[in-house]
Amino acid sequence: MAKIKKFQFKNIRSYGNKMVDIPFDMDNGLVLIQGKNGGGKTSIVEALEFAIYGKSSRVPVKDLPNWINDNAFTTIEFETDDNRKVELSRGISPDFYDLKVGGSAYSS
């Protein structure tokens, strides 16, 4: 099982062109996101879902980028049980993905 170590995104839904960094450096395996209604909690979940799966269960991918800035971007870093580092970056407008596993890179 892989553990998420780091997550970053920008230009997803209500978030603008500044990179948002969400560290997952925890010992107990629990992350809590809280905030007021309309504060962007769901946008964080959608960004995380897009980073991992390349899609959203709530909206079409074309609706994920911030409508002012476009150019949505996510990057997520995992650590595997055998301590290999996995880094996955995805983008929308332009569409791309970049996967690095233990130093080897795969892109499109």
Side-chain angles (χ1 to χ4, degrees):
M1 182 169 183
K3 293 180 185 175
I4 299 173
K5 301 303 272 181
K6 186 170 140 182
F7 176 52
Q8 296 178 305
F9 67 95
K10 71 176 184 175
N11 292 329
I12 299 282
R13 308 281 282 177
S14 60
Y15 288 87
N17 203 25
K18 183 179 177 192
M19 190 68 79
V20 176
D21 185 16
I22 301 177
F24 280 76
D25 54 348
M26 69 260 177
D27 293 326
N28 61 6
L30 179 66
V31 174
L32 174 68
I33 299 172
Q34 68 179 22
K36 296 179 180 180
N37 287 350
K41 300 178 300 294
T42 300
S43 295
I44 292 171
V45 172
E46 288 176 334
L48 186 58
E49 189 175 34
F50 174 73
I52 296 170
Y53 301 109
K55 61 182 180 178
S56 168
S57 61
R58 297 178 49 89
V59 298
V61 170
K62 67 177 182 61
D63 293 338
L64 285 176
N66 177 290
W67 63 276
I68 295 173
N69 300 311
D70 234 2
N71 195 20
F73 174 80
T74 63
T75 185
I76 189 164
E77 186 180 302
F78 300 93
E79 186 178 286
T80 64
D81 286 341
D82 59 355
N83 295 321
R84 285 186 299 159
K85 181 180 171 183
V86 177
E87 192 173 325
L88 176 59
S89 299
R90 292 186 190 269
I92 308 169
S93 295
D95 294 337
F96 75 92
Y97 78 89
D98 182 39
L99 175 65
K100 296 176 185 161
V101 180
S104 300
Y106 308 90
S107 299
S108 93

